[in-house]
Amino acid sequence: MSKSKETPAQKIKRLEKALANAEMKNMIYGDMVEILKKEHGIDLEKKYLAERSGLPKNKGK
């Protein structure tokens, strides 16, 4: 079905399903980040935030 021919109710249902899928992925990714941090000492959040801020990486740590 074309998205332009959706009724408002159909659009809401589609968007609710997409939101539920995105929330599930977010939970899974969050769990994966925690596992990497706890089991492997990899802090992806810290690395990502440092890269986004433009700060130089700490090579000593």
Side-chain angles (χ1 to χ4, degrees):
M1 177 188 323
S2 173
K3 290 181 184 178
S4 63
K5 294 183 181 181
E6 286 179 322
T7 66
Q10 290 170 325
K11 184 175 183 177
I12 290 170
K13 190 169 188 162
R14 178 178 55 82
L15 292 173
E16 285 174 338
K17 185 175 181 178
L19 176 60
N21 288 338
E23 288 172 337
M24 183 65 70
K25 281 183 183 180
N26 190 38
M27 277 183 22
I28 292 168
Y29 292 150
D31 290 347
M32 290 170 58
V33 166
E34 286 302 312
I35 290 169
L36 285 171
K37 191 183 301 183
K38 288 178 184 175
E39 294 184 10
H40 302 283
I42 299 170
D43 192 350
L44 293 177
E45 294 167 321
K46 191 182 239 182
K47 285 182 181 181
Y48 176 76
L49 292 175
E51 288 174 7
R52 296 286 295 169
S53 69
L55 296 174
K57 295 179 183 175
N58 265 345
K59 292 185 181 180
K61 292 190 177 185

